[in-house]
Amino acid sequence: MQYSSALPLLQRLRIRTRRRHSLELPPRSADETSPLLSLMLALAALAALAVALVPPASYLLALQAHEAGRLETRAGYLANELARRSWLIEQEDHRGALGILRQNASPSMAAEHVRLLQANGSLLAEVTPLEPLARPLLTRRAAVPRDSGPQAEVEVTRSLRPALQKAALLLLLCLLLGGMIFVLLRLLPMWMLRQALGHASYLATHDTLTGLSNRRPSRTG
């Protein structure tokens, strides 16, 4: 008892840490952390795909709906104008109907293809753009209300190429942003995991009070 009480405090701490050596858990291996890394990689890829694809798709659908509404308004306006002057439809040359179909067609307006059709689908009058419309195309029709005579329809067609170009530009930006998010979500959690595993390995091999190693050095004879 006198000898044990005379030992320095540091030596007693070393003896206690050596006794606890057999109870310590070894650090985790790479095989044990691979499922966690796979889950982190899958979540990072899912977040990057969501950022890269959802905004362009939503923007394209919104542009398509907006353009469809504009076409329906344009076709309805022309149909109402033709209904107010229904005698123009019955003319053989349809010059008056062509004048109405060209109404409000300013240079700033998107190129469009306007046709006046009978109920059976035969063409009565047509206003074609200077250049053929690029595909894909969007078409809307509006019936011309008439009290007597055959019914007619106004058909307006425009190109969706400008909307696709805007959506493609947004897609490139979102792909760049998604790639940055993927790299960030891929590297940052791995760095934090390595830091945590390194700290856990240090705690498993060192005394928390003194900071000294509690592993016995191997003796080579």
Side-chain angles (χ1 to χ4, degrees):
M1 294 296 294
Q2 294 178 357
Y3 177 75
S4 60
S5 61
L7 284 176
L9 178 61
L10 183 60
Q11 293 183 357
R12 283 188 290 175
L13 291 175
R14 288 181 178 177
I15 294 174
R16 291 177 182 177
T17 54
R18 288 173 182 175
R19 290 176 180 175
R20 280 181 279 175
H21 172 71
S22 60
L23 300 177
E24 293 172 353
L25 296 176
R28 291 186 177 182
S29 61
D31 295 336
E32 295 177 353
T33 58
S34 58
L36 181 58
L37 294 178
S38 301
L39 178 60
M40 293 164 55
L41 178 61
L43 293 177
L46 183 61
L49 285 177
V51 172
L53 298 180
V54 172
S58 302
Y59 182 70
L60 180 59
L61 292 177
L63 283 180
Q64 183 179 0
H66 177 68
E67 191 64 26
R70 293 178 60 186
L71 282 182
E72 291 177 358
T73 303
R74 172 72 170 161
Y77 170 78
L78 295 176
N80 291 330
E81 289 296 320
L82 287 172
R84 291 172 53 189
R85 307 169 189 175
S86 58
W87 67 87
L88 298 177
I89 301 177
E90 301 174 359
Q91 294 178 353
E92 294 182 0
D93 55 0
H94 303 293
R95 291 183 179 178
L98 286 174
I100 293 178
L101 295 180
R102 293 191 180 98
Q103 281 186 357
N104 298 334
S106 61
S108 60
M109 183 181 296
E112 60 185 16
H113 186 190
V114 184
R115 299 196 304 169
L116 178 61
L117 306 173
Q118 288 184 349
N120 58 7
S122 60
L123 181 64
L124 294 177
E126 183 179 22
V127 177
T128 58
L130 298 178
E131 297 180 359
L133 298 178
R135 295 182 180 276
L137 303 176
L138 184 63
T139 302
R140 288 296 183 269
R141 290 186 177 183
V144 179
R146 299 179 64 187
D147 297 334
S148 61
Q151 296 295 323
E153 287 184 331
V154 176
E155 180 185 270
V156 182
T157 302
R158 289 181 183 175
S159 174
L160 282 178
R161 182 68 61 86
L164 287 178
Q165 292 175 350
K166 294 179 182 179
L169 180 59
L170 181 61
L171 176 61
L172 292 178
L173 295 178
C174 290
L175 284 176
L176 180 60
L177 180 60
M180 295 174 59
I181 291 177
F182 176 78
V183 172
L184 181 62
L185 294 180
R186 182 71 174 90
L187 297 181
L188 183 60
M190 289 186 62
W191 178 80
M192 296 176 63
L193 181 61
R194 289 194 184 98
Q195 294 292 325
L197 291 178
H199 185 62
S201 177
Y202 176 82
L203 293 179
T205 57
H206 292 75
D207 184 70
T208 57
L209 183 60
T210 61
L212 300 176
S213 175
N214 53 18
R215 298 292 186 182
R216 292 183 179 181
S218 60
R219 297 179 181 179
T220 57

